[in-house]
Amino acid sequence: MSGAAIIIVFFVLRVLVGTIGVGGLGSQEPRDRIERDFGFLLLWVLLGPAWLASWVGGIVDLNPWLLGTALALTPVMLPWALCRRITMPLGLVRMTYWIARLSMYVLGRDRYGGPLLAATVAFRQRPQSERTRAWLRGRYEKLKELRGGSATGWAVLLDEDDDDREMGQSRMEAAAWFDWRVSPAVGRRMVGEWLACRAIEQQHWRAALAVARRRESKLFWAGPKVLQKLGVSVSELAQAASRGTLDVVLAATGSRPAFGGSPALEVTEAVAQRALRDAHPPAGVSLRLALLRCAHREQWQAVLDEVSASTEKRAQAPAPTGDALADAVTTHLFVKSRPVTSAVELHRFGRAWEDVLYRDDTRAALVGRARALGVNNPEQVFERIEGEVTDAIAALVGEVDMGRDIAEPSTLVTMAAEEVRDQRVEALELCVGQIAGRVAANRRLPTVDEFEEFAVMLHLYDRVARSAADGRELAYSQIGSQLTDWACWLWNDRQQYSLANAIFRFCAVEGLRTNHIELARINLDNIGCRGG
Amino acid sequence: MSDPLRYVGFDLGTTNSAAAFFDGETVQVVRTSQGGQLTPSVVRITKKGATSVGHKARRFLDKDADNTHTGFKRLMGTGKTLAFPAAGLERRPEELSAEVLKSLIADVDGQFGFAPTRAVITVPALFELPQSRATTEAATLAGLEAIELVQEPVASALAAGWTEDSAGAWLVYDLGGGTFDVTLLASQDGVLRVEGHDGDNFLGGRDFDTAIVDWLLTTLRDDGCDVRRDNPAHGAALRTLAAAAEEAKIELSRSEQTTITLVEPLVVDGEEHEVDVPLDRATFERLVLPLLDRSIDVCLRLLDAHDRRAADIDRVVLVGGPTMIPALRARVQERLAPLAEHPHDPMTLVAQGAALFAAQAGLDAQGATASLPVRHERGHKVLLKYPSMSTDLSPFVIGRVVGQADDGARLSKVIASRHDDKFVSEPATVEEDGSFAISLELLPRRANRFSLMGQAEGGDPVTVEPGAFTIVHGLTIGDPPLSRSVGVALANDRVRVYFERGTPLPAKRTFVHHTVDAVAPGEDDHALVIPLVQGEFDDAHLCRLVGSLDVPARVLKEVLPAGTQVEVTLELDRGGHLTAQAYVPRIKEVFEGVAQLLVPACTPDVLEAELRTMHERIEALRADAFRMRMPELIAEIDKLMPDLDDAERGLDAARGGDEETAQRARRNLIELEARVVQLELTRDWPEIDSEAVDDIAFAASWVSSLGTETEQKLLDQAIAQANRAREAMDAGQLARRMRRVRNLGEAAYYRHPESWRHQFEFAAARADEATDPAKAAALVQKGRAIIDSGDHMALRPLTEQLWGLLPIDAKKRQRSHLSGVR
Amino acid sequence: MDDRFGDNPFFVLELEVGCTSMDVMRQADKLIGMLELGVEKAATYPTPAGDKPRTVDKVRAARARLLVPEKRFFDEIWAKARAVDGAAAQAAGPDLFGALWWR
Ligand SMILES: Nc1ncnc2c1ncn2[C@@H]1O[C@H](COP(=O)(O)OP(=O)(O)O)[C@@H](O)[C@H]1O
Ligand SMILES: [Mg+2]
């Protein structure tokens, strides 16, 4: 037994592991899994006994050679465990990266990006030197293709030193659009848990619930073939979408949890349900089990306890006094000083101001006062107040889901929402227009930055979608085809298959939801493309 | 603070400058060493490098024109230098202004026996930021340690209000040598407030001279003496004539009739011509009437902007040399409002106001700490705060005990008594933290001196230090307001306003922007540009670029993708000095340093090119107007012509080396352009409008047959918005709305199987306009093949590629000062 | 002056809505004096949205606003606000994110 022999074996195995079981777009799930499992099995069959024996022998005989061999083989045999349990918690960035490179079983779908993700998680564990950060960034920037794992890692890395919360969120959402075939399962789980944690942190319980329950339709991994099998046409899907039953139909095509199984997400669901006072709180046993499986049992328990305990400590809306102006202004203050929870509340706020601004008696009284002060043009001041109110409303639009049918809608709110939506659409158009210009001029950005633009786009799109019930339709009608072009360019000219695929998926889903059948069909076809 | 009050103010004029002194009760205009009150803003540097200023220099304006400069105030902040070839020197306008200031400082010293180190300097209300900053710099160069800038009209109003009852609305009409400013002020409860400004940066006494010279040139031409403005060789002759014209103009303010005579014959192209032309007041008035009316139109425009009519104005304060012209006074009264009752000296009013403002700002001419007398008996030391000038007849003095008296008795009450002994305050209690507040009573329009006395716990009197202070009562004005809004130009040609007009200075604000384009370190010619603009327009390109904060790609270590957050902070100090900062959270870096943009230099070539395009545009416009039978439009075009002629003259002047007039022509051209754009819009409107109507019809029909319910609603909204824009004739807005209408229409239309074939054919027809015609032709060929195969849907990517090759609308960003943020 | 309530000139100067321009000048001068001397009483002012710190700049800005009829009228409107609960402090969510996610 010599060191040289060990090293040779090591490299042979390394090559072996490297060539098998790597997923990619176009690969089939079962086959992929078999290949991967086979590789792993082979490794264990070939080396497992020797490895175990050298541990046993080494410990029993206290033989330094045997112990050395055992230790040296450990990263090959159980690379992920080593990372997860030791190097990652210790924040050893480079070591995590190199060991994770051996972990084909867990990270094989993103062979280079997955280890980077692991290294980034390690990076997050403790304060790191500027050099380490630069090293990590450099690795990301050198990636030939950005896949799910690296996209997630990049999002985590940037969020670490970016104060822009919303962008952080969008980056993670962008990472979530990557296909499972190019995203290691741990990476997907990280995305889901990350989104869940953020939502909990911000007390966006509905968002938390949605993340915990998010499912992915089979359509997106099997492509339009599924439709053929089911005998459903794209236009039928789109019709379902416009009826609001898209999710039902998609579910019928087969689906699975979007982020894979995660106990943390199960707990999140329970937390959100409790916070929202759901009629059917989750059963005790499964929750207990999920908690047991969670990495941070105590903290999760604490979160759970806290939401259960927080009984209606919501601030009480100010009671009306009959003085329309004082009421409106006070409501204004109230609405501004804490998060608004519903569109109904927003509309009530709008109506309070309407009582001041558009009722003849209140308005006349104000005009009188203005004249007494020597205001030449009171109307102008009213316009400013209206502007102020509109701005306040605008700031809140998008915080709440604007919803479709409000019982007593406020014109001010409706108009402000429209205005906000238009402004946001304009920002989105500007962004996508800029991307289109870049594509036309063939100006290439480093891959991570192409991803960043996708995230920015998502962010702007999401803002539009939230600002009005019809925001999504408007947004998509303005940018859908340019986005498709961008993705095509990424695919054809830049071989960024995974990112392109993510954008196709986005375009397909949103195309269906907004009844752009034609674009949806094109993008569904594109999802089916093989690459890489 | 027991020294006499000494406040100094300077009017740093384009043509003439002056200084005034205020001792708390009366304002005195400082006499110059020559015995007059005015110091011409003229600087000469001789061969030996000796600098002379004022009257001494003025005499050489036409004799030694090359080495004698005036009007440099107009070039402040332009970065341009003026040459003094004899001495082989170059001087910046700031340095020349500093020379004038030094001369004024010396005059103050001569008359009052001290050289001020702190003073107030006036600037035109419509000075832009770089110009104000330049003025501050001039003051520093002149050796002043602390200055405040105040707007000329504010100073004028303060001075006028000092001597007469001030309630009501005022108009300060300031026509100087080269600029016209009008300001609307309102005073209430003795507080003066600027409501608004307007003006014409290029209208002044000099235009009156020019009008006379132009008249003179035609007269002389009849006599065979052909002097031309565009001939650099005639520069000297023109200057001589201009000087003679100015003299005649001033003479005509006093007498009915004058003669323009030159002492020495005029030498033109080697020939000598005697000049001896009579000019009477009536002719002169006929020549300048359009100029007068132009100024009054500006006043009316200002009133209109503030919802006022001429009848609402209580009085007009006239300021500046040309306001001595009787016809002007008559015209102002006829078209605007009565003149201020009290006779003010229009030439020195600004300086007087500046001195008054110094009192309000507490800007003692030598600093309050200059000579604190050392006393032997030591009382309780207190710090006092009070307005050095107050409108309020019963202001407060606030104090705080900072040192106990030697005898150690605690100060429990403080009393103030006025020096005329007619007022003694209530004893004010000294609080736990040593502070106290005493309510005083002032005598109107006087320097009120008070003594301060303390009482110990038991009521024994104790001394307090300082034992006296002075408050002047008079009209005051709030903090200096910003005269024009300042903001950041955005990529969509809008402006994000940081400071609205009227914001009290200093001010600081931060907004978050997002980049619209990626900037990568490698792309050396790329930069993230954040243009800073000043002006009241909604469209960024119409506002004046006053600076730009650039983040050049070469300083970046990593890519800033589109959508990167940028926090921009703008800060303005009292003197109008703008600083900007951009913080990019993503890379945790701060970028600073505004590239202070200067008014761009104006060469004859540039001007000529601009003038030529302007001519072409106007001619095209006129031709179209005739063809389309739009008489109103023709009338409007005709109204542009005088300004175009003006610009033409400016070009001549630029060729003759007169940078100032050239600048002015340039500025007028910009304004002209804004008007031409408006007229072009009027011309194009029918077409734009009918196109919009067609597109609306297209969208409406497709959406109603193939659109969804939501799309229908969205379209209805967009159409309503578009119609509103059509009513308002707002082309920009209409374009935005129509894009939406079109997109919605197209979305529905594309649901139709045949649609892509139509689109392809349409794009193919324009293939020759493509940026890459060869590629476009190849695409068209491929497309035809696809059509033959019948798979119309496959045409889509191809057609879109084809579109990509057709010219796109990148022009808008170009216009918005190339802004890289939204 | 972005915060209509917290920065409202009437609150900053602690003046009633019906005060005169003279009151504004006097009060502003007084407060500026107190602030410059570091008098504690002047350091904060009450608003319906809770107590706020007072600075010389704020006082000057408030004075400038109240002297312009249009702006004053505008500010008078916001000064009508009554105190509401929950305005002062906003309950923050659990800051567990850092601890929960992949530690
Ligand atoms: N009595 C007068 N009548 C007419 N114009 C005069 C008279 N006195 C001076 N001017 C003109 O006034 C102008 C200078 O005015 P001034 O207010 O000093 O200018 P500025 O404020 O630009 O320094 C010059 O054009 C001068 O010819
Ligand atoms: Mg002047």
Side-chain angles (χ1 to χ4, degrees):
Chain A
M1 274 281 205
S2 72
I6 293 174
I7 291 171
I8 290 171
V9 172
F10 183 92
F11 273 102
V12 169
L13 284 168
R14 175 72 192 72
V15 171
L16 187 69
V17 169
T19 46
I20 56 169
V22 181
L25 290 175
S27 63
Q28 300 294 305
E29 184 178 20
R31 215 186 103 220
D32 174 59
R33 179 167 282 164
I34 289 165
E35 281 175 3
R36 196 180 60 170
D37 293 352
F38 174 73
F40 193 68
L41 201 70
L42 193 69
L43 185 71
W44 270 87
V45 167
L46 287 180
L47 276 187
W51 177 62
L52 287 173
S54 39
W55 269 122
V56 172
I59 290 168
V60 172
D61 295 356
L62 279 178
N63 179 336
W65 280 108
L66 281 180
L67 267 180
T69 312
L71 271 177
L73 279 179
T74 305
V76 180
M77 303 306 297
L78 289 172
W80 180 247
L82 200 60
C83 285
R84 183 72 194 96
R85 299 288 155 220
I86 299 172
T87 63
M88 266 157 77
L90 287 177
L92 304 172
V93 178
R94 289 181 183 76
M95 197 184 286
T96 304
Y97 175 76
W98 291 113
I99 296 178
R101 285 285 296 269
L102 298 172
S103 174
M104 283 302 126
Y105 186 76
V106 178
L107 301 175
R109 287 167 182 168
D110 189 357
R111 205 157 126 195
Y112 303 101
L116 267 179
L117 169 60
T120 309
V121 174
F123 180 81
R124 239 182 123 257
Q125 304 302 318
R126 61 179 172 92
Q128 302 278 356
S129 74
E130 201 42 47
R131 261 189 59 207
T132 311
R133 183 173 169 273
W135 177 84
L136 205 52
R137 282 195 82 111
R139 283 267 152 201
Y140 275 108
E141 274 156 18
K142 271 184 256 154
L143 279 178
K144 265 219 225 71
E145 190 196 348
L146 195 73
R147 290 185 168 203
S150 37
T152 311
W154 180 250
V156 173
L157 181 65
L158 281 199
D159 194 59
E160 195 66 357
D161 45 32
D162 194 350
D163 310 325
D164 191 342
R165 282 292 174 92
E166 288 193 25
M167 257 314 290
Q169 177 109 4
S170 299
R171 251 179 238 123
M172 212 44 92
E173 287 287 0
W177 280 104
F178 279 77
D179 195 293
W180 66 266
R181 286 164 296 181
V182 293
S183 313
V186 268
R188 289 198 73 78
R189 234 173 57 218
M190 283 183 189
V191 174
E193 291 173 9
W194 195 99
L195 290 171
C197 286
R198 228 341 104 84
I200 291 174
E201 189 184 59
Q202 299 181 327
Q203 295 181 303
H204 287 174
W205 305 119
R206 288 195 188 286
L209 198 61
V211 169
R213 291 181 176 170
R214 197 185 293 183
R215 296 185 74 79
E216 189 184 66
S217 156
K218 194 166 181 188
L219 193 56
F220 300 121
W221 72 87
K225 276 171 295 183
V226 180
L227 293 183
Q228 277 165 24
K229 253 187 233 154
L230 288 172
V232 181
S233 76
V234 177
S235 23
E236 275 167 315
L237 270 187
Q239 265 162 24
S242 61
R243 265 183 270 115
T245 54
L246 178 66
D247 293 334
V248 179
V249 178
L250 283 184
T253 65
S255 71
R256 62 172 170 204
F259 302 113
S262 152
L265 286 178
E266 284 172 44
V267 181
T268 301
E269 188 175 359
V271 168
Q273 278 175 314
R274 286 202 185 167
L276 292 166
R277 313 253 174 278
D278 199 302
H280 307 285
V285 184
S286 64
L287 178 61
R288 192 115 313 140
L289 275 177
L291 265 173
L292 272 178
R293 277 155 52 224
C294 268
H296 300 281
R297 224 157 295 136
E298 300 82 32
Q299 281 98 327
W300 278 112
Q301 185 68 58
V303 175
L304 207 55
D305 292 346
E306 193 177 328
V307 285
S308 312
S310 71
T311 44
E312 285 311 307
K313 58 180 174 190
R314 275 186 206 154
Q316 215 54 53
T321 59
D323 176 351
L325 177 58
D327 283 349
V329 179
T330 308
T331 313
H332 196 116
L333 174 61
F334 181 69
V335 158
K336 274 201 131 171
S337 49
R338 39 170 282 287
V340 170
T341 46
S342 71
V344 176
E345 189 183 342
L346 195 55
H347 280 273
R348 200 179 306 133
F349 165 53
R351 285 201 313 275
W353 270 113
E354 282 163 19
D355 277 349
V356 174
L357 295 171
Y358 307 128
R359 241 178 47 199
D360 290 342
D361 52 337
T362 45
R363 188 153 180 136
L366 282 174
V367 170
R369 172 67 187 152
R371 293 255 179 248
L373 281 173
V375 175
N376 288 326
N377 191 347
E379 291 306 315
Q380 223 168 8
V381 180
F382 285 120
E383 261 168 46
R384 292 227 14 230
I385 296 168
E386 211 182 289
E388 196 81 20
V389 175
T390 314
D391 286 351
I393 294 172
L396 298 171
V397 167
E399 293 295 310
V400 296
D401 211 328
M402 285 311 288
R404 273 172 201 265
D405 300 308
I406 301 288
E408 285 178 275
S410 144
T411 323
L412 269 178
V413 171
T414 312
M415 271 163 33
E418 215 174 276
E419 184 58 30
V420 168
R421 182 202 63 195
D422 283 357
Q423 278 168 9
R424 292 181 174 183
V425 171
E426 218 172 279
L428 177 66
E429 284 171 353
L430 204 63
C431 165
V432 176
Q434 174 277 128
I435 294 175
R438 215 159 48 70
V439 170
N442 199 18
R443 246 184 80 208
R444 292 151 178 248
L445 289 183
T447 315
V448 280
D449 294 311
E450 297 280 0
F451 170 71
E452 181 78 5
E453 302 225 312
F454 177 46
V456 170
M457 191 286 299
L458 269 185
H459 174 57
L460 296 174
Y461 187 87
D462 187 50
R463 274 160 41 100
V464 179
R466 269 185 295 153
S467 64
D470 51 14
R472 198 175 287 279
E473 276 84 353
L474 183 56
Y476 196 84
S477 70
Q478 305 298 309
I479 58 151
S481 68
Q482 280 170 317
L483 276 186
T484 308
D485 289 347
W486 178 35
C488 289
W489 177 74
L490 285 172
W491 183 286
N492 294 328
D493 291 25
R494 303 213 43 195
Q495 285 82 44
Q496 290 298 332
Y497 304 113
S498 307
L499 177 57
N501 178 269
I503 302 173
F504 288 144
R505 284 151 61 93
F506 170 81
C507 291
V509 177
E510 292 300 307
L512 285 176
R513 279 177 137 188
T514 58
N515 203 337
H516 285 74
I517 310 163
E518 215 271 313
L519 266 179
R521 191 195 332 258
I522 289 175
N523 281 292
L524 277 175
D525 285 342
N526 287 344
I527 293 173
C529 283
R530 283 165 159 278
Chain B
M1 293 284 284
S2 55
D3 308 304
L5 299 176
R6 300 192 294 195
Y7 299 111
V8 172
F10 296 120
D11 166 14
L12 197 55
T14 315
T15 324
N16 295 302
S17 298
F21 174 84
F22 178 55
D23 61 6
E25 305 216 334
T26 48
V27 192
Q28 279 171 274
V29 179
V30 177
R31 282 189 312 274
T32 66
S33 51
Q34 312 261 316
Q37 293 188 319
L38 298 177
T39 301
S41 307
V42 185
V43 176
R44 170 168 186 250
I45 303 182
T46 63
K47 200 150 100 195
K48 295 204 178 110
T51 307
S52 56
V53 179
H55 286 286
K56 263 201 286 185
R58 187 167 195 243
R59 264 180 269 132
F60 291 90
L61 255 185
D62 46 337
K63 286 190 206 116
D64 183 19
D66 288 346
N67 297 301
T68 314
H69 289 292
T70 185
F72 37 79
K73 176 176 173 184
R74 307 266 296 268
L75 300 177
M76 295 275 269
T78 59
K80 183 144 177 84
T81 58
L82 293 162
F84 292 88
L89 290 173
E90 297 251 319
R91 287 279 180 272
R92 291 181 305 129
E94 290 81 349
E95 292 170 312
L96 298 179
S97 293
E99 290 301 330
V100 176
L101 279 175
K102 277 187 211 161
S103 157
L104 294 173
I105 291 171
D107 289 340
V108 175
D109 200 1
Q111 187 175 351
F112 298 97
F114 73 98
T117 54
R118 314 186 339 143
V120 166
I121 301 178
T122 59
V123 289
L126 292 177
F127 246 23
E128 281 153 358
L129 297 175
Q131 295 166 296
S132 297
R133 197 182 47 112
T135 307
T136 310
E137 197 192 327
T140 313
L141 289 175
L144 292 173
E145 284 157 17
I147 63 147
E148 290 257 340
L149 301 182
V150 65
Q151 296 166 345
E152 286 164 9
V154 170
S156 310
L158 272 178
W162 180 248
T163 47
E164 70 185 277
D165 180 36
S166 59
W170 304 42
L171 213 51
V172 174
Y173 175 107
D174 180 349
L175 189 56
T179 50
F180 172 61
D181 282 329
V182 55
T183 306
L184 176 63
L185 296 115
S187 106
Q188 193 192 0
D189 296 346
V191 183
L192 197 58
R193 185 170 57 82
V194 176
E195 279 201 1
H197 298 290
D198 205 337
D200 186 335
N201 248 348
F202 297 102
L203 174 65
R206 183 173 287 220
D207 296 278
F208 293 54
D209 305 344
T210 311
I212 298 178
V213 171
D214 283 339
W215 169 81
L216 201 56
L217 291 184
T218 39
T219 318
L220 291 178
R221 216 162 281 151
D222 296 340
D223 296 348
C225 167
D226 194 8
V227 182
R228 297 208 161 266
R229 286 195 180 270
D230 55 357
N231 189 343
H234 294 176
L238 279 168
R239 272 194 298 276
T240 315
L241 288 178
E246 185 179 1
E247 251 169 57
K249 171 187 74 177
I250 294 174
E251 176 68 22
L252 283 175
S253 289
R254 253 175 314 171
S255 47
E256 287 288 334
Q257 166 89 41
T258 186
T259 315
I260 303 173
T261 12
L262 297 184
V263 198
E264 288 159 22
L266 197 64
V267 183
V268 179
D269 302 330
E271 271 177 60
E272 292 195 351
H273 298 269
E274 288 295 338
V275 176
D276 186 19
V277 185
L279 174 63
D280 60 16
R281 213 185 244 183
T283 313
F284 171 66
E285 284 172 4
R286 182 172 53 75
L287 290 175
V288 300
L289 193 67
L291 295 171
L292 298 183
D293 280 340
R294 202 164 118 201
S295 75
I296 289 171
D297 288 342
V298 173
C299 298
L300 294 174
R301 184 171 77 195
L302 171 68
L303 293 181
D304 199 42
H306 289 84
D307 298 299
R308 300 227 192 208
R309 285 164 307 126
D312 299 334
I313 301 301
D314 293 301
R315 79 209 69 194
V316 181
V317 176
L318 293 179
V319 182
T323 62
M324 310 262 228
I325 298 170
L328 185 149
R329 300 184 152 244
R331 197 75 181 154
V332 166
Q333 297 194 56
E334 182 189 323
R335 291 192 59 193
L336 285 172
L339 304 183
E341 281 158 32
H342 198 89
H344 302 291
D345 176 10
M347 305 298 284
T348 60
L349 200 62
V350 173
Q352 295 179 38
L356 286 168
F357 186 76
Q360 189 196 320
L363 204 64
D364 189 87
Q366 285 206 311
T369 53
S371 54
L372 262 184
V374 188
R375 296 235 181 84
H376 293 298
E377 24 131 18
R378 300 226 307 145
H380 291 274
K381 274 219 161 50
V382 294
L383 282 178
L384 294 182
K385 291 286 168 187
Y386 53 88
S388 50
M389 190 163 189
S390 163
T391 302
D392 183 4
L393 281 168
S394 39
F396 280 98
V397 55
I398 311 289
R400 182 165 194 171
V401 183
V402 289
Q404 290 291 322
D406 293 342
D407 55 13
R410 198 187 104 84
L411 187 65
S412 82
K413 292 214 158 35
V414 186
I415 304 163
S417 55
R418 203 166 64 205
H419 272 202
D420 64 352
D421 287 336
K422 297 234 169 72
F423 166 80
V424 178
S425 77
E426 294 287 315
T429 313
V430 178
E431 306 274 337
E432 275 299 301
D433 61 352
S435 64
F436 56 89
I438 312 173
S439 175
L440 306 170
E441 266 173 37
L442 304 185
L443 290 174
R445 290 180 205 288
R446 295 279 282 282
N448 295 267
R449 202 158 163 69
F450 292 90
S451 313
L452 214 56
M453 272 302 298
Q455 274 179 2
E457 219 90 299
D460 297 337
V462 287
T463 48
V464 174
E465 245 182 282
F469 59 96
T470 307
I471 299 180
V472 177
H473 174 262
L475 189 64
T476 61
I477 179 143
D479 288 305
L482 184 65
S483 55
R484 290 182 184 175
S485 305
V486 172
V488 164
L490 306 181
N492 59 357
D493 200 24
R494 293 301 179 82
V495 180
R496 156 69 90 178
V497 176
Y498 275 60
F499 311 111
E500 263 176 61
R501 167 165 67 179
T503 306
L505 300 182
K508 180 177 179 174
R509 276 190 104 172
T510 304
F511 282 111
V512 176
H513 296 271
H514 293 87
T515 59
V516 294
D517 204 351
V519 186
E523 308 169 329
D524 273 350
D525 49 344
H526 233 76
L528 169 62
V529 179
I530 303 169
L532 310 176
V533 294
Q534 197 171 17
E536 310 307 321
F537 297 98
D538 292 337
D539 292 350
H541 74 276
L542 293 176
C543 291
R544 165 80 103 138
L545 190 63
V546 290
S548 158
L549 182 61
D550 291 1
V551 181
R554 79 189 122 69
V555 304
L556 292 177
K557 284 185 225 63
E558 51 196 75
V559 179
L560 295 186
T564 304
Q565 247 190 24
V566 184
E567 288 174 27
V568 178
T569 305
L570 297 190
E571 197 169 354
L572 271 171
D573 69 9
R574 279 173 83 86
H577 189 168
L578 176 71
T579 43
Q581 244 192 14
Y583 173 62
V584 185
R586 185 193 167 99
I587 54 173
K588 296 215 168 16
E589 263 188 87
V590 176
F591 298 91
E592 266 173 319
V594 183
Q596 282 281 353
L597 257 225
L598 307 160
V599 188
C602 178
T603 64
D605 295 345
V606 174
L607 200 59
E608 187 177 352
E610 282 178 3
L611 202 58
R612 198 170 337 109
T613 30
M614 191 56 65
H615 258 301
E616 280 162 12
R617 280 171 78 173
I618 292 180
E619 283 323 310
L621 199 55
R622 187 194 297 279
D624 288 339
F626 270 114
R627 189 170 48 74
M628 296 161 77
R629 301 211 169 72
M630 299 172 81
E632 298 92 2
L633 186 56
I634 297 173
E636 285 298 318
I637 295 170
D638 285 339
K639 281 195 205 147
L640 297 176
M641 297 326 277
D643 292 290
L644 199 59
D645 292 344
D646 239 19
E648 203 83 57
R649 267 198 297 279
L651 175 59
D652 294 347
R655 289 217 188 83
D658 179 353
E659 165 85 16
E660 196 196 313
T661 316
Q663 279 287 359
R664 160 213 168 121
R666 172 75 172 277
R667 191 56 192 249
N668 283 351
L669 268 184
I670 292 176
E671 275 164 28
L672 202 59
E673 187 185 347
R675 284 159 66 194
V676 170
V677 167
Q678 199 54 46
L679 294 185
E680 282 172 344
L681 179 64
T682 316
R683 172 196 61 188
D684 298 340
W685 187 255
E687 198 181 322
I688 295 175
D689 196 47
S690 78
E691 201 177 302
V693 172
D694 288 352
D695 288 352
I696 288 175
F698 169 87
S701 82
W702 284 109
V703 170
S704 71
S705 57
L706 291 172
T708 63
E709 212 175 292
T710 319
E711 278 169 341
Q712 184 65 54
K713 252 192 264 158
L714 281 170
L715 182 71
D716 291 345
Q717 270 174 24
I719 291 177
Q721 287 169 333
N723 283 338
R724 246 174 279 146
R726 282 175 55 208
E727 253 160 55
M729 279 188 70
D730 182 339
Q733 192 73 352
L734 182 61
R736 267 192 286 281
R737 300 310 183 196
M738 284 312 295
R739 200 170 54 217
R740 199 144 295 165
V741 170
R742 265 176 230 124
N743 277 330
L744 286 166
E746 280 164 14
Y749 164 68
Y750 291 140
R751 295 202 181 107
H752 194 276
E754 279 287 286
S755 58
W756 280 104
R757 196 169 64 84
H758 292 295
Q759 283 309 308
F760 171 77
E761 294 296 356
F762 187 70
R766 287 177 62 203
D768 50 340
E769 293 168 35
T771 43
D772 181 350
K775 194 167 166 201
L779 283 174
V780 171
Q781 220 165 25
K782 220 158 107 193
R784 299 248 184 272
I786 294 178
I787 291 177
D788 293 341
S789 77
D791 178 11
H792 291 172
M793 279 302 173
L795 276 174
R796 183 202 170 103
L798 207 131
T799 309
E800 281 174 347
Q801 254 177 302
L802 199 53
W803 280 342
L805 293 175
L806 294 175
I808 49 166
D809 183 29
K811 284 188 189 100
K812 195 190 249 168
R813 225 184 114 207
Q814 185 87 28
R815 284 168 74 196
S816 182
H817 304 297
L818 285 170
S819 176
V821 289
R822 62 176 158 84
Chain C
M1 290 290 130
D2 293 329
D3 181 353
R4 298 291 166 226
F5 303 102
D7 291 344
N8 192 298
F10 288 101
F11 300 150
V12 173
L13 298 181
E14 292 183 53
L15 286 171
E16 291 296 315
V17 161
C19 67
T20 66
S21 304
M22 209 61 104
D23 295 334
V24 172
M25 295 296 274
R26 182 181 308 152
Q27 183 74 356
D29 280 336
K30 181 175 170 185
L31 288 173
I32 289 173
M34 290 168 85
L35 285 169
E36 284 177 347
L37 292 179
V39 178
E40 232 154 80
K41 260 196 315 200
T44 58
Y45 59 92
T47 80
D51 283 4
K52 296 275 150 108
R54 173 152 45 206
T55 62
V56 172
D57 283 349
K58 264 191 184 175
V59 174
R60 290 211 340 257
R63 170 177 63 193
R65 282 191 70 86
L66 291 192
L67 294 179
V68 183
E70 283 80 10
K71 292 186 179 161
R72 173 177 172 151
F73 175 53
F74 184 75
D75 291 330
E76 277 193 12
I77 291 190
W78 304 101
K80 293 259 163 71
R82 287 168 285 120
V84 296
D85 46 302
Q90 204 192 103
D95 187 24
L96 288 170
F97 181 67
L100 278 183
W101 190 81
W102 285 78
R103 273 279 161 200

